[in-house]
Amino acid sequence: MSLLTPDTGLLFWMTLSFGIVFFILAKYGFPIINRAIEKRNQYINDSLEAAREAETRLAALHSESEALLEQARKERNLLLQEAQEMKKKIISEARETAEAEARLQIEKATIEIEETKKRALGEIRGQIAEISVAIAGKVLGSKLESSEQQNRLIDRLLDDELIPKN
């Protein structure tokens, strides 16, 4: 007997045993294998679908986050602009307030200077009047009639010739 040319009996028994094994596998094995393959195929398909869905959600979230970032940038720029405008307004108001305060202080100082000047001129006039009366008394050798008349005379002379009343 040779392996390359089998006998007819061997060929019969081999075909019969193959048929029985095939029948048993076809009846009991193949359906289980097919179900396992289908389950595996369904699991792979579900996983692929879930991956596609996750990718779609991720893309949507990415675009949404980009939109939120852009909106946040716009809001930040708007807030910065408002802050700049508020800063300019505060500086302008402070400048105006400072200028008004400075003008008020200058006016007060001017009024005070004028009042001080008038007081000083009044004091000078009084001193000049006293000195004039004393000089006139010595020159004339006697006192004039009344001090009120003396003061009026001195004021008139000062107004006309020496010191203006302003």
Side-chain angles (χ1 to χ4, degrees), residues 10-117:
L10 182 63
L11 198 57
F12 171 75
W13 287 115
M14 282 176 52
T15 306
L16 182 65
S17 60
F18 176 76
I20 291 172
V21 169
F22 185 77
F23 176 74
I24 292 173
L25 281 175
K27 178 104 174 148
Y28 300 106
F30 288 153
I32 293 173
I33 293 172
N34 278 341
R35 275 194 303 255
I37 290 173
E38 286 177 13
K39 274 185 179 179
R40 179 72 178 160
N41 192 19
Q42 185 63 34
Y43 176 75
I44 290 171
N45 286 337
D46 289 345
S47 295
L48 286 174
E49 184 62 32
R52 283 187 203 108
E53 217 174 279
E55 187 178 355
T56 305
R57 275 194 237 139
L58 182 63
L61 286 175
H62 182 68
S63 65
E64 186 177 324
S65 68
E66 286 295 322
L68 285 174
L69 280 173
E70 184 62 31
Q71 182 181 1
R73 284 185 196 112
K74 286 180 182 177
E75 288 177 7
R76 180 197 67 197
N77 289 338
L78 182 63
L79 287 174
L80 286 174
Q81 240 178 0
E82 289 175 0
Q84 287 291 340
E85 290 172 5
M86 189 177 292
K87 173 185 154 189
K88 288 178 183 176
K89 182 179 177 185
I90 289 171
I91 289 172
S92 174
E93 288 175 357
R95 185 174 290 135
E96 289 173 4
T97 304
E99 288 174 357
E101 186 68 29
R103 278 193 300 271
L104 183 63
Q105 287 180 357
I106 289 171
E107 287 174 8
K108 283 181 181 178
T110 305
I111 292 170
E112 190 176 322
I113 289 170
E114 286 295 323
E115 288 175 358
T116 306
K117 180 181 169 183

